[in-house]
Amino acid sequence: MSQPRWVAAIGAGREQEGAIRAAQRAGCRVVALDGDPTAPGLSIADAAVVVDLRDPRAVLNALRPWPVRAVAPAPVGRILGTIGAVNDALGMRGPSADSAMCCADKVRFHAALAAADLPRAEQRVASGREAIVRAVDEVGLPCVLKPARGSGSRGVVLVQPGDDVENAISAHLEVEPETTLVETALQGPEVGVDAVVRNGVLHVVLVRDKELTPPPHRQVLAYTAPSVHDPAPIEAVLQAASTAVGLGDAMLHADVIMTAGGPVVVEMAPRPAGLLLAERLVPALCDVDWMAWGVLLMLGEAPLAVPHPQRAGALRFLEARDGLVAAVPDVTRLAAMPGVVHAAVWCRVGDRLAPVCQASDVLARGVVITVGPTPHDANVAARVAVASHSIRIEEPIDVVH
């Protein structure tokens, strides 16, 4: 009898559950680790350990009882460095600690792009309000304020000519960033990219057009794919960026601005995309269990053929203004709408929704994923489904004195 293949799930939160299930679908046993004893992925894994994921040494010690052969790729942020350290220590495929940290730290990533002479935004590093004001003056408007580390659009604020700079800085500082980056706001549509790096060679799988919130925040409201943009130049610039940070084998998620001079990589991470993109949208469009494919990649068993889109699709988050939830749509009826292949409603009556400023805000609402013969058709189907299944917010009561 063959020995079971064990993989580690470093992170077992809501967005990492899909990676655990994918590894199990790939025929692996999973030891899941998380610092939160209530993390939902711990209960579905084959073994579970509660440990501080910020401490690579503690994570390695926790993994000693299991013959782990790989780390299951998952949508994670701050702990990419820990995953890289585990890969280094155990001699496994996947991002190294150095390459993971180079992507996670936006200052280091910018420096890597500069060293490779790749296009990039002008960048200033600042700590504290006064330094941020000076950096904005140096960079000029329009510019973007963002934390030096982090993901999910948290603390990202676009400052345009005519905006109140002090108010914009205050909005950014609400997330209490350790360090602030002030960057030129590149002009052009933004796309998201799902890709894979195998033996140092990058292959684009799917390019997604984005629909963003109005300024000043830059949270995605919807994706449509395949993009209207040619993937070839995007693949070329991502290959150069991937080489610059030293990626050998990795699933990769990237954000790219399509400027008049060509594509510019804004951010990239050696992990699959969150927000159900890797877990649901890529499989629906590319006829592949993308998360399980990533596990096989880390085990050195992935098929030679890289997946590509077979149909068009869209992902759109449910809409609701901020306030107290009074009623939610029937998810069964939502899922039965024309073109819908997946639907979820995450809020409940009595929840209080925040304005949509970052990823956690859309993850508090719900989502639909649609397919269609063209991206336009899929987008229309998603819009119709969302518009006809709204989240009702309790109206404020006027108090008469």
Side-chain angles (χ1 to χ4, degrees):
M1 180 180 294
S2 61
Q3 293 296 314
R5 298 178 301 170
W6 281 91
V7 301
I10 301 180
R14 174 178 162 190
E15 281 220 271
Q16 290 85 52
E17 283 184 274
I20 296 170
R21 297 187 188 280
Q24 292 168 332
R25 291 196 302 272
C28 300
R29 293 186 182 178
V30 182
V31 51
L33 304 91
D34 203 285
D36 179 1
T38 67
L42 296 177
S43 64
I44 64 172
D46 301 279
V49 181
V50 177
V51 62
D52 185 354
L53 301 184
R54 298 167 298 181
D55 185 343
R57 188 180 300 276
V59 170
L60 281 164
N61 286 336
L63 288 174
R64 289 188 186 280
W66 294 275
V68 170
R69 293 176 52 187
V71 176
V76 295
R78 289 183 174 273
I79 59 171
L80 275 173
T82 297
I83 292 172
V86 170
N87 288 333
D88 290 346
L90 300 183
M92 301 189 302
R93 291 180 178 84
S96 65
D98 188 64
S99 62
M101 292 306 298
C102 193
C103 292
D105 186 326
K106 298 178 179 67
V107 177
R108 285 189 60 185
F109 182 64
H110 189 271
L113 295 182
D117 198 26
L118 291 172
R120 59 207 175 276
E122 185 179 352
Q123 184 186 86
R124 297 288 187 279
V125 182
S127 295
R129 180 179 291 273
E130 291 184 4
I132 296 172
V133 171
R134 288 195 299 271
V136 170
D137 287 340
E138 292 173 8
V139 169
L141 300 181
C143 69
V144 176
L145 313 179
K146 62 174 71 172
R149 295 192 63 184
S151 58
S153 300
R154 188 170 181 267
V156 178
V157 176
L158 173 65
V159 191
Q160 302 187 94
D163 287 350
D164 187 316
V165 173
E166 290 290 346
N167 284 346
I169 293 174
S170 294
H172 163 72
L173 291 176
E174 286 179 2
V175 302
E176 300 180 351
E178 294 179 8
T179 306
T180 293
L181 302 183
V182 180
E183 296 182 347
T184 51
L186 299 171
Q187 301 302 300
E190 184 173 343
V191 299
V193 184
D194 302 291
V196 59
V197 183
R198 179 160 47 187
N199 297 324
V201 179
L202 183 139
H203 305 273
V204 164
V205 173
L206 187 67
V207 181
R208 307 172 254 105
D209 293 325
K210 296 184 178 185
E211 179 184 326
L212 303 173
T213 57
H217 299 289
R218 308 301 289 156
Q219 172 55 39
V220 178
L221 299 175
Y223 296 92
T224 306
S227 170
V228 298
H229 300 284
D230 181 2
I234 297 172
E235 185 170 82
V237 73
L238 282 174
Q239 173 67 76
S242 173
T243 300
V245 301
L247 289 177
D249 295 279
M251 297 182 81
L252 188 121
H253 164 65
D255 294 319
V256 177
I257 302 290
M258 305 303 294
T259 73
V264 178
V265 183
V266 179
E267 295 178 11
M268 72 180 195
R271 60 166 178 81
L275 301 177
L276 295 187
L277 293 164
E279 187 179 347
R280 294 284 186 174
L281 185 66
V282 174
L285 273 58
C286 300
D287 290 338
V288 63
D289 188 339
W290 183 229
M291 297 291 283
W293 199 99
V295 173
L296 295 177
L297 175 72
M298 295 301 103
L299 292 169
E301 301 173 7
L304 290 177
V306 174
H308 292 290
Q310 304 300 308
R311 62 191 59 82
L315 181 152
R316 181 169 291 275
F317 296 104
L318 299 190
E319 299 170 357
R321 60 179 173 82
D322 56 305
L324 196 67
V325 176
V328 299
D330 184 324
V331 70
T332 302
R333 292 183 178 180
L334 180 59
M337 290 289 290
V340 173
V341 295
H342 178 76
V345 179
W346 296 313
C347 59
R348 298 290 180 265
V349 173
D351 289 353
R352 184 166 292 279
L353 300 181
V356 175
C357 301
Q358 56 193 25
S360 60
D361 300 325
V362 294
L363 286 172
R365 286 162 167 79
V367 71
V368 295
I369 297 175
T370 57
V371 296
T374 69
H376 173 76
D377 293 326
N379 191 28
V380 168
R383 284 182 176 276
V384 170
V386 168
S388 58
H389 293 77
S390 60
I391 299 167
R392 186 164 65 84
I393 300 299
E394 188 174 292
E395 294 298 329
I397 299 173
D398 291 330
V399 177
V400 179
H401 295 284

